């Protein structure tokens, strides 16, 4: 299918998986896979925007990933640190609006500071809306949303009877970001691993055996071609 004929999903979410296996295949430490994976993530942002995707959400670190060896966790956090710092410098040029999803409170203070700064300086940009999930777990997000909403019910902002899906959704980390249209997971795993349970309810799911460090624009286009073949009924009849 020619690129111009393709219907482009508005919101694409990616579980970037397979960094460790990519490194293992090359007899490299797992951390080498993460370094290559982070380069690919940067490139995919550019490719996604050039293809016309408006929202891109990537899973960078889950609430369960703290269970990994300390050295690996440290490398992942260092890469995120570097990403935030570099993005602050590049923010005018790439014009992205960056937002971090997840519970920031468990992150190191300097990383939180960089994230806050990056979110602030990019909020009025007009390019790709790029969400990075860090210390993100879908179940955790829902519990935090319930707690915040409860506070607002107690202080009288809302009556419990008025709470509906739209109001509840606004308390999630994604706030008013539209639902995911296409979810991509690399490395052949057929699960969602606690990623965006609310936001993925009607997403089309695309799984590929390609390991994340080997993912590229062509693979992204393949996922979009798959998306174009799906018949999205949203529970209705067509
Ligand atoms: C994804 O690659 C990156 C993160 C989870 C942070 P993995 O590190 O999970 O790679 P595999 O699944 O072990 O190959
Ligand atoms: C999901 O990948 C988390 C991220 C990509 C950040 P994992 O590799 O942690 O997921 P499982 O353990 O295979 O389910
Ligand atoms: Mg994995």
């Amino acid at each position: 299918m020619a690129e111009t004929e393709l219907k482009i999903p508005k919101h694409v979410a990616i579980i970037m998986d397979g960094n460790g296996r990519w490194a293992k295949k090359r007899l490299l430490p797992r951390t080498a896979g993460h370094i290559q994976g982070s380069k690919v993530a940067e490139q995919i942002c550019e490719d996604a925007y050039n293809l016309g995707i408006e929202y891109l959400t990537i899973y960078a670190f889950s609430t369960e990933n703290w269970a990994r060896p300390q050295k690996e966790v440290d490398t992942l956090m260092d890469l995120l640190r570097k990403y935030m710092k570099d993005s602050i410098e590049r923010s005018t040029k790439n014009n992205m609006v960056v937002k971090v999803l997840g519970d920031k409170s468990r992150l190191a203070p300097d990383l939180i500071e960089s994230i806050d700064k990056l979110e602030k300086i990019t909020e009025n940009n007009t390019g790709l809306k790029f969400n990075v999930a860090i210390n993100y777990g879908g179940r955790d997000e829902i519990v935090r949303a319930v707690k915040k909403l409860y506070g607002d019910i107690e202080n009288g902002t809302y009556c419990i009877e008025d709470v509906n899906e739209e109001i509840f959704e606004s308390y999630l980390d994604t706030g008013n970001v539209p639902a995911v249209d296409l979810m991509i997971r690399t490395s052949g795993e057929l699960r969602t691993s606690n990623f965006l349970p609310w936001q993925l309810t009607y997403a089309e799911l695309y799984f590929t055996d390609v390991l994340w460090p080997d993912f590229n624009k062509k693979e992204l286009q393949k996922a979009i071609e798959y998306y174009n073949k799906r018949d999205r009924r949203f529970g209705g009849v067509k």
Side-chain angles (χ1 to χ4, degrees):
M1 236 182 277
E3 210 175 283
T4 47
E5 294 165 21
L6 286 176
K7 185 163 68 157
I8 303 297
K10 190 172 182 162
H11 186 176
V12 174
I14 307 183
I15 303 179
M16 314 181 291
D17 199 11
N19 293 353
R21 278 162 283 172
W22 181 90
K24 197 172 173 205
K25 263 179 38 188
R26 288 163 178 75
L27 306 175
L28 294 167
R30 291 177 57 83
T31 48
H34 297 315
I35 292 169
Q36 185 56 29
S38 67
K39 288 184 191 149
V40 170
E42 270 178 43
Q43 182 57 46
I44 287 299
C45 277
E46 216 181 297
D47 297 336
Y49 190 61
N50 290 336
L51 285 168
I53 292 165
E54 284 179 53
Y55 294 83
L56 179 68
T57 302
I58 63 165
Y59 206 3
F61 193 92
S62 74
T63 46
E64 289 73 31
N65 288 148
W66 297 106
R68 295 188 177 202
Q70 191 58 44
K71 193 173 161 283
E72 181 168 344
V73 170
D74 290 345
T75 301
L76 287 165
M77 289 298 149
D78 283 345
L79 284 169
L80 288 166
R81 240 181 218 105
K82 187 176 175 307
Y83 177 80
M84 299 301 154
K85 294 237 163 74
D86 292 351
S87 299
I88 289 169
E89 278 170 29
R90 287 191 301 245
S91 65
T92 326
K93 200 168 148 248
N94 66 26
N95 202 19
M96 291 195 304
V97 182
V98 186
K99 208 170 134 35
V100 168
L101 314 179
D103 181 3
K104 288 181 215 165
S105 68
R106 199 175 162 185
L107 306 177
D110 69 303
L111 182 54
I112 300 176
E113 209 179 293
S114 299
I115 290 170
D116 290 345
K117 188 168 175 195
L118 183 61
E119 288 183 332
K120 186 101 206 71
I121 62 171
T122 62
E123 69 185 359
N124 295 320
N125 280 351
T126 54
L128 179 75
K129 307 233 179 2
F130 182 48
N131 304 310
V132 189
I134 306 175
N135 189 26
Y136 175 88
R139 289 178 174 179
D140 177 66
E141 179 190 36
I142 289 171
V143 172
R144 284 185 290 104
V146 168
K147 287 181 178 169
K148 272 187 271 173
L149 176 57
Y150 181 78
D152 279 351
I153 288 169
E154 273 202 322
N155 70 28
T157 308
Y158 290 115
C159 257
I160 186 74
E161 291 76 19
D162 296 338
V163 174
N164 55 26
E165 289 183 11
E166 202 184 337
I167 291 172
F168 182 75
E169 189 171 79
S170 70
Y171 283 80
L172 295 172
D173 296 343
T174 38
N176 297 318
V177 169
V180 175
D181 298 301
L182 170 66
M183 195 284 291
I184 299 171
R185 182 171 189 151
T186 57
S187 89
E189 306 300 346
L190 308 181
R191 55 179 172 265
T192 56
S193 302
N194 208 6
F195 190 43
L196 304 173
W198 176 285
Q199 301 86 341
L200 288 181
T201 43
Y202 268 103
E204 298 300 328
L205 308 177
Y206 177 79
F207 298 98
T208 169
D209 288 338
V210 173
L211 303 172
W212 177 252
D214 291 326
F215 198 80
N216 55 28
K217 188 176 182 186
K218 218 172 125 221
E219 297 299 332
L220 179 61
Q221 275 168 321
K222 273 194 218 166
I224 295 173
E225 278 168 26
Y226 165 87
Y227 173 82
N228 274 255
K229 290 190 198 119
R230 309 308 305 165
D231 178 15
R232 302 188 82 191
R233 291 186 292 275
F234 297 99
V237 183
K238 267 193 186 165

